[in-house]
Amino acid sequence: KIDMDRVFHALGDPTRRAILDKLSEGPASVSTLAGPLGVTLTAVAQHLEILEAGGLVHTEKVGRVRTCRIEPSGFDALERWIADHRTLWERKLDRLGQFLIEEEEDG
């Protein structure tokens, strides 16, 4: 099960969002990700740990190269969370709207 607190924590940092943007183009090595970000390999590895803990990225080490890719299940969980909360708030706003219409009609 995806921990939504970890997902939102992972998405809360601009460098991690930039990593996700780059990975949306396809799998990449840690060194490929580090180059345009202007951060160290160690920093990228730390960001990747957080993204992986949030279920947004999967990394795999083959030999000396660690390759990273988007993990769709984390984004699926995020979409479900957003949809559930949107539905909840739409219902509440619909009830509020109906209440205001009734109040206007009564008064």
Side-chain angles (χ1 to χ4, degrees), residues 63-102:
R64 297 184 66 180
V65 177
R66 180 166 295 279
T67 302
C68 314
R69 65 176 171 78
I70 293 285
E71 180 58 55
S73 62
F75 289 95
D76 293 343
L78 180 60
E79 284 182 280
R80 281 191 305 277
W81 187 92
I82 290 169
D84 290 348
H85 284 78
R86 175 180 286 148
T87 300
L88 174 72
W89 281 103
E90 284 174 350
R91 282 190 206 132
K92 288 182 179 192
L93 290 172
D94 287 346
R95 284 196 304 261
L96 176 61
Q98 187 59 42
F99 173 78
L100 293 174
I101 289 169
E102 290 170 5

Side-chain angles (χ1 to χ4, degrees), residues 3-22:
D3 180 343
M4 293 310 298
D5 288 339
R6 288 180 183 233
V7 173
F8 285 112
H9 173 69
L11 293 172
D13 182 89
T15 301
R16 291 192 284 272
R17 292 192 305 273
I19 290 170
L20 290 171
D21 288 343
K22 180 66 177 166

